[in-house]
Amino acid sequence: MSKIKMTTPLVEMDGDEMTRILWQLIKDQLILPYVDLFTEYYDLGLLNRNATEDQVTIDSANATKKYGVAVKCATITPNQQRMEEFPELTKMWVSANATIRSILDGTVFRAPITIDCIKPTVKTWEKPITIARHAYGDVYKAVELLTDEPGECTMSFVGQSGATQTLSVEKTAGPTVWLGQHNTESSIRSFARSCFQYAVDTKQDMWFSTKDTISKIYDGHFKTVFDEEFVEYKGKFDELGIEYFYTLIDDAVARVMRSKGGFIWACKNYDGDVMSDMVSSAFGSLAMMTSVLVSPDGKYEFEAAHGTVTRHYYRYLQGEKTSTNPIATIFAWTGALKKRGELDGLADLVEFADRLEKATMDTMRSGIMTGDIAHLTEPGFNAKSVDTWEFLDAVADIMNNE
Ligand code: NAP
Ligand code: MG
């Protein structure tokens, strides 16, 4: 059988620990036998990021800007404990994802991979709910203050022109906590465009929620910017029969709980942080959650939502065959290959990605799954918990026997 050819390189960002092991296994067993894989490889493993003073991360993000599609393995974000674990580190490098996100200026979309034998906790949900989280500003880039005497707090803006605007925040009689936060119109605009673009790409309705009845200027501006940006997308939405729907955050929460799912829910930074954990746990497991960063000009970086699964890696190093779930990493690859295929007009590559996703799902439907999800199946469903290698063998069997 001749292998599927690619015409544009896929940006491949390798990573760390157990996910690096999964990465190689997935490539060797499920992709390389079928695809003449054409990637531009960047090793974002912590030691190579350190050796290149993190230039490799910047280069990989710029390559994504150039070629349009990347697939990324989970990477370690070093903390104090990692500094002790890896004495060769010259710096506590920032999160690779944060660096890539700031270069691509994107929005992160997280969607669960759902399967019939694992029912979501919310009974009405029939289809996945995708959370689109704004990744800049608000409380994540705020200044805070605790004061202990009576007094007044003011907020002032000094323009480049010298013009000043000052507001009284509050006069207080005793100890008080204060918070000053901001967002930029350009970041809100990018967020809006990424969301509308993703809705068009995935042909799903898009919901957006804020609290603009209370926060008339701040949240109100988010709503205004979304309305302005929607003008450009309205035609495409109408053509596809999809809808843009704005409502208050509390109303959105109530409606989400009664919905059938199958839409994108665009959330401000804090709302997205909280709601994505709620949605993912209600659908099952972080290991079944895909994540894609989409830039406003339509560049894509696909990854799994989970980390490097350190605890499994140390057991693996002791010789144990761990039951680490490779599904989200497989879907990062299929998502990226499918997008590459769509952009380059390679129907066989798109079809291959669909076939690999189906083989992965069919393996689970046949009852073969890793330990993290085997125990979540409905009563009466006969799930057999296997290790990662047995799981990948079962997927490969389906691929080979089709
Ligand atoms: P994690 O790697 O997501 O793992 C946390 C726990 O969740 C695991 O110990 C495991 O639980 C379970 N789990 C996660 N993925 C799984 C999978 N595929 N199969 C089975 N179980 C899975 O999070 P972490 O331990 O907090 O972080 C480890 C490292 O990853 C850190 O250095 C962090 O910086 C990095 N990280 C990277 C990214 C990224 O690159 N996108 C994201 C998050 C974290 P049990 O041990 O109970 O089985
Ligand atoms: Mg969080």
Side-chain angles (χ1 to χ4, degrees), residues 63-147:
T64 309
K65 273 190 133 167
K66 177 172 170 196
Y67 296 117
V69 189
V71 59
K72 179 179 173 291
C73 180
T75 48
I76 293 171
T77 301
N79 53 15
Q80 197 48 48
Q81 188 199 332
R82 296 291 195 176
M83 297 301 285
E84 284 151 30
E85 184 181 348
F86 301 99
E88 57 271 67
L89 293 186
T90 53
K91 219 169 133 181
M92 205 190 291
W93 302 104
V94 299
S95 146
N97 285 43
T99 301
I100 295 165
R101 210 180 294 149
S102 73
I103 293 173
L104 293 178
D105 182 23
T107 299
V108 176
F109 297 86
R110 286 194 163 182
I113 300 158
T114 57
I115 176 166
D116 280 347
C117 58
I118 301 174
K119 295 269 179 262
T121 317
V122 179
K123 278 187 293 192
T124 53
W125 292 356
E126 290 168 10
K127 290 182 189 161
I129 295 169
T130 302
I131 298 276
R133 175 183 169 186
H134 188 205
Y136 177 82
D138 300 351
V139 75
Y140 300 85
K141 219 169 160 40
V143 289
E144 302 188 325
L145 197 61
L146 167 62
T147 57

Coordinates of all heavy atoms in Angstrom, one line a residue, residues 63-147:
A63 N 7.0 29.2 13.2 CA 6.7 28.2 12.1 C 5.2 28.0 12.0 O 4.7 27.8 10.8 CB 7.5 26.9 12.4
T64 N 4.5 28.0 13.1 CA 3.1 27.8 13.0 C 2.4 29.0 12.3 O 1.5 28.8 11.5 CB 2.5 27.7 14.5 OG1 3.2 26.7 15.1 CG2 1.0 27.3 14.4
K65 N 3.0 30.2 12.5 CA 2.4 31.4 11.8 C 2.7 31.2 10.3 O 1.9 31.6 9.5 CB 3.2 32.6 12.3 CG 2.6 33.3 13.5 CD 3.3 34.6 13.7 CE 2.2 35.7 14.0 NZ 2.8 36.9 14.5
K66 N 3.9 30.6 10.0 CA 4.2 30.5 8.6 C 3.4 29.4 7.9 O 2.8 29.6 6.8 CB 5.7 30.1 8.5 CG 6.2 29.9 7.1 CD 7.8 29.8 7.2 CE 8.3 29.3 5.8 NZ 9.7 28.8 6.0
Y67 N 3.3 28.2 8.5 CA 2.6 27.1 7.8 C 1.1 26.9 8.2 O 0.4 26.3 7.4 CB 3.3 25.8 8.1 CG 4.8 25.8 7.6 CD1 5.8 25.7 8.5 CD2 5.0 25.8 6.3 CE1 7.2 25.6 8.0 CE2 6.3 25.8 5.8 CZ 7.4 25.7 6.7 OH 8.7 25.7 6.2
G68 N 0.7 27.4 9.3 CA -0.7 27.4 9.6 C -1.2 26.3 10.6 O -2.3 26.5 11.2
V69 N -0.5 25.2 10.7 CA -1.0 24.1 11.5 C 0.1 23.5 12.4 O 1.2 23.2 11.8 CB -1.7 23.0 10.7 CG1 -2.4 22.0 11.7 CG2 -2.7 23.6 9.7
A70 N -0.1 23.3 13.7 CA 0.9 22.6 14.5 C 0.2 21.6 15.4 O -1.0 21.7 15.6 CB 1.6 23.7 15.4
V71 N 1.0 20.6 15.8 CA 0.5 19.6 16.8 C 1.5 19.6 17.9 O 2.7 19.6 17.7 CB 0.3 18.2 16.2 CG1 1.6 17.7 15.5 CG2 -0.3 17.3 17.2
K72 N 1.0 19.8 19.1 CA 1.9 19.9 20.3 C 1.7 18.8 21.4 O 0.6 18.5 21.7 CB 1.8 21.3 20.9 CG 2.7 21.5 22.1 CD 2.5 22.9 22.7 CE 3.3 23.0 24.0 NZ 2.8 22.2 25.1
C73 N 2.8 18.3 21.8 CA 2.8 17.4 22.9 C 2.8 18.2 24.2 O 3.3 19.3 24.3 CB 4.1 16.6 22.8 SG 4.3 15.3 24.1
A74 N 2.3 17.6 25.3 CA 2.3 18.4 26.6 C 3.8 18.6 27.0 O 4.7 17.8 26.8 CB 1.6 17.6 27.7
T75 N 4.0 19.7 27.7 CA 5.4 20.1 28.1 C 5.4 20.5 29.6 O 4.3 20.9 30.1 CB 5.9 21.3 27.3 OG1 4.9 22.3 27.3 CG2 6.2 20.9 25.9
I76 N 6.5 20.3 30.2 CA 6.6 20.7 31.6 C 6.7 22.2 31.7 O 7.5 22.8 31.0 CB 7.9 20.1 32.2 CG1 7.8 18.6 32.3 CG2 8.2 20.7 33.6 CD1 9.2 17.9 32.7
T77 N 5.9 22.8 32.6 CA 6.2 24.2 33.0 C 6.9 24.2 34.3 O 6.4 23.7 35.3 CB 4.8 25.0 33.2 OG1 4.1 24.9 32.0 CG2 5.1 26.4 33.6
P78 N 8.2 24.6 34.3 CA 9.0 24.4 35.5 C 8.6 25.2 36.7 O 8.1 26.4 36.5 CB 10.4 24.8 35.1 CG 10.3 25.5 33.8 CD 9.0 25.1 33.2
N79 N 8.6 24.6 37.9 CA 8.4 25.4 39.1 C 9.6 25.1 40.0 O 10.6 24.5 39.5 CB 7.1 24.9 39.8 CG 7.0 23.4 39.9 OD1 8.1 22.7 39.8 ND2 5.9 22.8 40.2
Q80 N 9.6 25.5 41.2 CA 10.7 25.4 42.1 C 11.2 23.9 42.2 O 12.3 23.6 42.1 CB 10.4 26.0 43.5 CG 11.7 26.2 44.3 CD 12.8 26.9 43.6 OE1 12.5 28.0 42.9 NE2 14.0 26.4 43.6
Q81 N 10.2 23.0 42.3 CA 10.5 21.6 42.5 C 11.2 21.1 41.2 O 12.1 20.3 41.3 CB 9.2 20.8 42.7 CG 9.3 19.4 43.0 CD 7.9 18.7 42.7 OE1 6.9 19.3 42.8 NE2 8.0 17.4 42.4
R82 N 10.8 21.5 40.0 CA 11.4 21.1 38.8 C 12.9 21.7 38.7 O 13.8 21.0 38.1 CB 10.7 21.6 37.6 CG 9.3 21.0 37.5 CD 9.3 19.5 37.1 NE 8.0 19.1 36.7 CZ 7.8 17.9 36.2 NH1 8.7 17.0 36.2 NH2 6.6 17.5 35.8
M83 N 13.1 22.8 39.3 CA 14.4 23.4 39.3 C 15.4 22.5 40.1 O 16.6 22.4 39.7 CB 14.5 24.8 39.9 CG 13.6 25.9 39.2 SD 14.1 26.1 37.5 CE 15.6 27.1 37.7
E84 N 14.9 21.9 41.1 CA 15.7 20.9 41.9 C 15.8 19.6 41.2 O 16.9 19.0 41.2 CB 15.1 20.7 43.3 CG 15.3 21.9 44.2 CD 14.2 22.1 45.3 OE1 13.6 21.1 45.7 OE2 14.0 23.3 45.6
E85 N 14.8 19.2 40.5 CA 14.8 17.9 39.8 C 15.8 18.0 38.6 O 16.4 17.0 38.2 CB 13.4 17.6 39.3 CG 13.2 16.3 38.6 CD 11.8 16.0 38.1 OE1 10.9 16.8 38.5 OE2 11.6 15.1 37.3
F86 N 15.8 19.2 37.9 CA 16.7 19.4 36.8 C 17.7 20.5 37.1 O 17.5 21.6 36.7 CB 15.9 19.8 35.5 CG 14.9 18.8 35.1 CD1 13.6 19.0 35.4 CD2 15.2 17.6 34.4 CE1 12.6 18.0 35.1 CE2 14.3 16.7 34.0 CZ 12.9 16.9 34.3
P87 N 18.9 20.1 37.8 CA 19.8 21.1 38.2 C 20.4 21.9 37.0 O 21.0 23.0 37.2 CB 20.9 20.3 38.9 CG 20.5 18.9 39.0 CD 19.2 18.8 38.1
E88 N 20.4 21.3 35.8 CA 21.0 22.0 34.6 C 20.2 23.2 34.1 O 20.6 23.9 33.3 CB 21.2 21.0 33.5 CG 20.0 20.2 33.0 CD 19.8 18.9 33.7 OE1 19.4 19.0 34.9 OE2 19.8 17.8 33.1
L89 N 18.9 23.4 34.7 CA 18.1 24.5 34.2 C 18.8 25.8 34.6 O 19.1 26.0 35.7 CB 16.7 24.4 34.8 CG 15.8 23.3 34.3 CD1 14.4 23.4 34.9 CD2 15.8 23.2 32.8
T90 N 18.9 26.7 33.6 CA 19.5 28.0 33.8 C 18.5 29.0 34.3 O 18.8 30.1 34.7 CB 20.3 28.5 32.6 OG1 19.3 28.5 31.5 CG2 21.5 27.6 32.3
K91 N 17.2 28.7 34.1 CA 16.1 29.6 34.4 C 14.8 28.9 34.6 O 14.7 27.8 34.1 CB 15.9 30.5 33.1 CG 15.7 32.0 33.4 CD 15.8 32.8 32.1 CE 14.6 33.7 32.0 NZ 14.7 34.5 30.7
M92 N 13.9 29.5 35.3 CA 12.6 28.8 35.5 C 11.8 29.3 34.3 O 11.0 30.2 34.4 CB 11.9 29.3 36.8 CG 10.9 28.3 37.3 SD 9.9 28.8 38.7 CE 11.1 28.9 40.0
W93 N 11.9 28.6 33.2 CA 11.3 29.0 31.9 C 9.8 29.1 32.1 O 9.2 28.3 32.8 CB 11.7 28.0 30.8 CG 13.2 27.9 30.7 CD1 14.0 26.9 31.1 CD2 14.0 28.9 30.1 NE1 15.3 27.2 30.8 CE2 15.4 28.4 30.2 CE3 13.8 30.1 29.5 CZ2 16.5 29.1 29.7 CZ3 14.9 30.8 29.0 CH2 16.2 30.3 29.2
V94 N 9.2 30.1 31.4 CA 7.8 30.2 31.4 C 7.1 29.1 30.6 O 7.7 28.4 29.9 CB 7.3 31.6 30.8 CG1 7.9 32.8 31.6 CG2 7.7 31.7 29.4
S95 N 5.8 29.0 30.8 CA 5.0 28.0 30.1 C 5.2 28.1 28.6 O 5.0 29.2 28.1 CB 3.6 28.1 30.5 OG 2.7 27.8 29.5
A96 N 5.5 27.0 27.9 CA 5.7 27.0 26.5 C 4.3 27.5 25.9 O 4.3 28.2 24.9 CB 6.1 25.7 26.0
N97 N 3.2 27.0 26.5 CA 1.9 27.3 25.9 C 1.7 28.8 26.0 O 1.1 29.4 25.0 CB 0.8 26.6 26.7 CG 0.8 25.1 26.3 OD1 1.8 24.5 26.2 ND2 -0.4 24.6 26.1
A98 N 2.1 29.5 27.1 CA 1.9 30.9 27.2 C 2.7 31.7 26.1 O 2.2 32.6 25.5 CB 2.3 31.4 28.6
T99 N 3.9 31.2 25.9 CA 4.8 31.8 24.8 C 4.1 31.7 23.4 O 4.0 32.7 22.7 CB 6.2 31.2 24.8 OG1 6.7 31.4 26.1 CG2 7.1 31.8 23.8
I100 N 3.7 30.5 23.2 CA 3.0 30.2 21.9 C 1.7 31.0 21.7 O 1.5 31.7 20.7 CB 2.7 28.7 21.7 CG1 4.0 27.9 21.7 CG2 1.9 28.4 20.4 CD1 3.9 26.4 21.9
R101 N 1.0 31.1 22.8 CA -0.3 31.8 22.8 C 0.0 33.3 22.5 O -0.8 34.0 21.8 CB -1.0 31.6 24.1 CG -2.5 31.7 24.0 CD -3.2 31.5 25.4 NE -2.9 30.1 25.9 CZ -2.8 29.8 27.2 NH1 -2.9 30.8 28.1 NH2 -2.6 28.6 27.6
S102 N 1.0 33.8 23.1 CA 1.2 35.3 23.0 C 1.7 35.6 21.6 O 1.4 36.7 21.0 CB 2.1 35.9 24.0 OG 3.4 35.4 23.8
I103 N 2.4 34.7 20.9 CA 2.9 34.9 19.5 C 1.7 34.7 18.6 O 1.6 35.5 17.6 CB 4.1 34.0 19.2 CG1 5.3 34.4 20.0 CG2 4.4 34.0 17.7 CD1 6.5 33.5 19.9
L104 N 0.9 33.7 18.8 CA -0.2 33.5 17.8 C -1.4 34.3 18.2 O -2.3 34.5 17.3 CB -0.6 32.0 17.8 CG 0.4 31.0 17.3 CD1 -0.1 29.6 17.4 CD2 0.8 31.4 15.8
D105 N -1.5 34.9 19.4 CA -2.6 35.8 19.8 C -3.9 35.0 19.7 O -4.9 35.5 19.0 CB -2.6 37.0 18.9 CG -3.7 38.0 19.4 OD1 -4.2 37.9 20.5 OD2 -4.1 38.8 18.5
G106 N -4.0 33.9 20.3 CA -5.2 33.1 20.0 C -6.2 32.9 21.2 O -6.0 33.4 22.2
T107 N -7.2 32.1 20.9 CA -8.2 31.7 21.9 C -8.1 30.2 22.0 O -7.9 29.5 20.9 CB -9.6 32.1 21.4 OG1 -9.6 33.5 21.2 CG2 -10.7 31.6 22.3
V108 N -8.3 29.6 23.2 CA -8.2 28.2 23.4 C -9.6 27.6 23.4 O -10.4 28.0 24.1 CB -7.4 27.9 24.7 CG1 -7.4 26.4 24.9 CG2 -6.0 28.4 24.6
F109 N -9.8 26.6 22.5 CA -11.1 25.9 22.5 C -10.9 24.5 23.0 O -10.0 23.8 22.6 CB -11.6 25.8 21.0 CG -11.8 27.1 20.4 CD1 -10.8 27.9 19.8 CD2 -13.1 27.7 20.5 CE1 -11.1 29.1 19.3 CE2 -13.3 28.9 19.9 CZ -12.3 29.7 19.3
R110 N -11.7 24.2 24.0 CA -11.6 22.8 24.6 C -12.9 22.1 24.4 O -13.9 22.6 24.8 CB -11.3 23.0 26.1 CG -9.9 23.4 26.3 CD -9.5 23.2 27.8 NE -8.1 23.2 27.8 CZ -7.4 23.0 28.9 NH1 -8.0 22.8 30.1 NH2 -6.1 23.1 28.9
A111 N -12.8 20.9 23.9 CA -14.0 20.1 23.6 C -13.8 18.6 24.1 O -12.7 18.1 23.9 CB -14.3 20.1 22.2
P112 N -14.8 18.1 24.8 CA -14.6 16.7 25.2 C -14.9 15.7 24.0 O -15.6 16.0 23.1 CB -15.8 16.5 26.2 CG -16.8 17.5 25.8 CD -16.0 18.7 25.2
I113 N -14.2 14.6 24.1 CA -14.4 13.5 23.1 C -15.5 12.6 23.8 O -15.2 12.1 24.9 CB -13.1 12.7 22.9 CG1 -12.1 13.6 22.3 CG2 -13.4 11.5 22.0 CD1 -10.7 13.1 22.5
T114 N -16.6 12.5 23.3 CA -17.7 11.7 24.0 C -17.9 10.4 23.4 O -17.7 10.1 22.2 CB -19.0 12.5 24.0 OG1 -19.4 12.8 22.6 CG2 -18.8 13.9 24.7
I115 N -18.4 9.5 24.2 CA -18.7 8.1 23.7 C -19.9 7.6 24.5 O -20.1 7.9 25.6 CB -17.4 7.2 24.0 CG1 -17.7 5.7 23.6 CG2 -16.9 7.3 25.4 CD1 -16.5 4.9 23.5
D116 N -20.8 6.8 23.7 CA -22.1 6.4 24.3 C -22.0 5.7 25.6 O -22.9 5.9 26.5 CB -22.8 5.5 23.3 CG -23.4 6.3 22.2 OD1 -23.5 7.6 22.3 OD2 -23.8 5.7 21.1
C117 N -21.0 4.9 25.8 CA -21.0 4.1 27.0 C -20.5 4.9 28.3 O -20.6 4.3 29.4 CB -20.1 2.8 26.9 SG -18.4 3.2 26.4
I118 N -20.1 6.1 28.1 CA -19.8 7.0 29.2 C -20.8 8.2 29.1 O -20.7 9.0 28.3 CB -18.4 7.5 29.2 CG1 -17.4 6.3 29.3 CG2 -18.1 8.4 30.4 CD1 -16.0 6.6 29.1
K119 N -21.8 8.2 30.0 CA -22.8 9.2 29.9 C -22.4 10.5 30.7 O -21.8 10.3 31.8 CB -24.1 8.7 30.6 CG -24.7 7.6 29.8 CD -25.7 8.1 28.7 CE -26.4 7.0 27.9 NZ -25.7 6.8 26.6
P120 N -22.6 11.7 30.2 CA -22.3 12.8 31.0 C -23.1 12.9 32.2 O -24.2 12.4 32.3 CB -22.6 14.0 30.0 CG -23.3 13.4 28.8 CD -23.1 12.0 28.9
T121 N -22.6 13.6 33.2 CA -23.3 13.7 34.5 C -24.6 14.5 34.3 O -25.6 14.2 34.9 CB -22.4 14.5 35.5 OG1 -21.1 14.0 35.4 CG2 -22.9 14.3 36.9
V122 N -24.6 15.4 33.3 CA -25.8 16.2 33.0 C -26.6 15.4 31.9 O -26.2 15.2 30.8 CB -25.5 17.6 32.5 CG1 -26.8 18.3 32.1 CG2 -24.7 18.3 33.5
K123 N -27.8 14.9 32.3 CA -28.5 13.9 31.5 C -29.0 14.4 30.1 O -29.1 13.7 29.2 CB -29.8 13.5 32.3 CG -29.5 12.4 33.3 CD -30.9 11.9 33.9 CE -31.5 13.0 34.7 NZ -32.6 12.5 35.5
T124 N -29.2 15.8 30.1 CA -29.7 16.3 28.8 C -28.6 16.4 27.7 O -28.9 16.6 26.6 CB -30.4 17.7 29.0 OG1 -29.4 18.5 29.7 CG2 -31.6 17.6 29.8
W125 N -27.4 16.5 28.1 CA -26.3 16.7 27.2 C -26.1 15.5 26.2 O -25.8 14.4 26.6 CB -24.9 16.9 27.9 CG -24.9 18.2 28.7 CD1 -25.9 19.2 28.7 CD2 -23.8 18.7 29.5 NE1 -25.4 20.3 29.5 CE2 -24.2 20.0 30.0 CE3 -22.6 18.2 29.9 CZ2 -23.4 20.7 30.9 CZ3 -21.8 18.9 30.7 CH2 -22.2 20.2 31.2
E126 N -26.4 15.8 25.0 CA -26.3 14.7 24.0 C -25.0 14.9 23.1 O -24.5 14.0 22.5 CB -27.5 14.7 23.0 CG -28.8 14.2 23.7 CD -30.0 14.5 22.9 OE1 -29.9 14.9 21.7 OE2 -31.1 14.3 23.5
K127 N -24.6 16.2 23.0 CA -23.4 16.5 22.2 C -22.4 17.3 23.0 O -22.8 17.9 24.0 CB -23.9 17.4 21.0 CG -24.7 16.7 20.0 CD -25.0 17.6 18.9 CE -26.1 17.1 17.9 NZ -26.7 18.1 17.1
P128 N -21.2 17.2 22.6 CA -20.1 18.0 23.3 C -20.4 19.5 23.4 O -21.0 20.0 22.5 CB -18.8 17.7 22.6 CG -19.2 16.7 21.5 CD -20.6 16.5 21.4
I129 N -20.0 20.1 24.5 CA -20.0 21.5 24.6 C -18.5 22.0 24.6 O -17.7 21.4 25.3 CB -20.6 21.9 26.0 CG1 -22.1 21.5 26.0 CG2 -20.5 23.4 26.2 CD1 -22.8 21.7 27.3
T130 N -18.2 22.9 23.7 CA -16.9 23.4 23.5 C -16.8 24.8 24.3 O -17.6 25.7 24.0 CB -16.6 23.7 22.0 OG1 -16.7 22.4 21.3 CG2 -15.2 24.2 21.8
I131 N -15.8 24.9 25.2 CA -15.6 26.1 25.8 C -14.5 26.9 25.1 O -13.4 26.4 24.8 CB -15.1 25.9 27.3 CG1 -16.2 25.1 28.1 CG2 -14.7 27.2 28.0 CD1 -17.3 26.0 28.7
A132 N -14.8 28.2 24.8 CA -13.8 29.1 24.2 C -13.4 30.1 25.3 O -14.2 30.9 25.7 CB -14.3 29.8 23.0
R133 N -12.2 30.0 25.8 CA -11.8 30.8 26.9 C -10.9 32.0 26.4 O -9.8 31.7 25.8 CB -11.1 30.0 27.9 CG -10.5 30.8 29.1 CD -9.7 29.9 30.0 NE -9.0 30.8 31.0 CZ -8.1 30.4 31.9 NH1 -7.9 29.1 32.0 NH2 -7.5 31.2 32.7
H134 N -11.3 33.2 26.7 CA -10.4 34.3 26.5 C -9.1 34.2 27.3 O -9.2 33.9 28.5 CB -11.1 35.6 26.8 CG -10.4 36.9 26.4 ND1 -10.6 38.1 27.0 CD2 -9.5 37.1 25.4 CE1 -9.8 39.0 26.4 NE2 -9.2 38.4 25.5
A135 N -8.0 34.4 26.7 CA -6.8 34.1 27.5 C -5.9 35.3 27.8 O -4.8 35.2 28.1 CB -5.9 33.1 26.6
Y136 N -6.6 36.4 27.9 CA -5.8 37.6 28.3 C -6.6 38.5 29.3 O -7.8 38.7 29.1 CB -5.4 38.5 27.1 CG -4.7 39.8 27.5 CD1 -3.4 39.8 27.7 CD2 -5.4 41.0 27.6 CE1 -2.7 40.9 28.1 CE2 -4.8 42.1 28.1 CZ -3.4 42.1 28.3 OH -2.8 43.2 28.7
G137 N -5.9 39.0 30.3 CA -6.4 40.1 31.1 C -7.5 39.7 32.2 O -7.5 38.6 32.6
D138 N -8.3 40.7 32.5 CA -9.2 40.7 33.7 C -8.5 40.4 35.0 O -7.4 40.9 35.2 CB -10.3 39.6 33.4 CG -11.2 39.9 32.1 OD1 -11.0 41.0 31.6 OD2 -12.0 39.1 31.7
V139 N -9.0 39.5 35.8 CA -8.4 39.2 37.1 C -7.1 38.6 37.0 O -6.3 38.6 38.0 CB -9.5 38.5 38.0 CG1 -9.5 37.0 37.6 CG2 -9.2 38.7 39.4
Y140 N -6.7 38.0 35.8 CA -5.4 37.3 35.7 C -4.3 38.3 35.4 O -3.1 37.9 35.4 CB -5.5 36.3 34.5 CG -6.5 35.3 34.8 CD1 -7.9 35.5 34.5 CD2 -6.2 34.1 35.5 CE1 -8.9 34.6 34.8 CE2 -7.2 33.2 35.8 CZ -8.5 33.5 35.5 OH -9.5 32.6 35.9
K141 N -4.6 39.6 35.2 CA -3.6 40.6 35.1 C -4.0 41.8 35.8 O -3.9 42.9 35.4 CB -3.4 40.9 33.6 CG -2.0 41.1 33.2 CD -1.8 41.2 31.7 CE -0.5 41.8 31.2 NZ 0.7 41.5 32.0
A142 N -4.5 41.6 37.1 CA -5.0 42.7 37.9 C -4.0 43.1 38.9 O -3.0 42.4 39.2 CB -6.3 42.2 38.6
V143 N -4.2 44.3 39.5 CA -3.4 44.7 40.7 C -4.4 44.7 41.9 O -5.5 45.1 41.7 CB -2.8 46.1 40.5 CG1 -1.7 46.1 39.4 CG2 -3.8 47.2 40.1
E144 N -3.8 44.4 43.0 CA -4.7 44.3 44.2 C -4.0 45.0 45.4 O -2.8 45.2 45.4 CB -4.8 42.8 44.6 CG -5.4 41.9 43.5 CD -5.7 40.5 43.9 OE1 -4.9 40.0 44.8 OE2 -6.7 40.0 43.4
L145 N -4.9 45.4 46.3 CA -4.4 46.2 47.4 C -5.3 45.9 48.6 O -6.5 45.7 48.5 CB -4.6 47.7 47.0 CG -3.9 48.8 47.8 CD1 -2.4 48.6 47.7 CD2 -4.3 50.1 47.2
L146 N -4.6 45.8 49.8 CA -5.3 45.7 51.1 C -5.0 46.9 51.9 O -3.8 47.2 52.2 CB -4.9 44.4 51.8 CG -5.4 44.2 53.2 CD1 -6.9 44.2 53.4 CD2 -4.8 42.9 53.8
T147 N -6.0 47.7 52.3 CA -5.7 48.9 53.1 C -6.4 48.7 54.5 O -7.3 48.0 54.6 CB -6.2 50.2 52.4 OG1 -7.6 50.0 52.2 CG2 -5.5 50.4 51.1

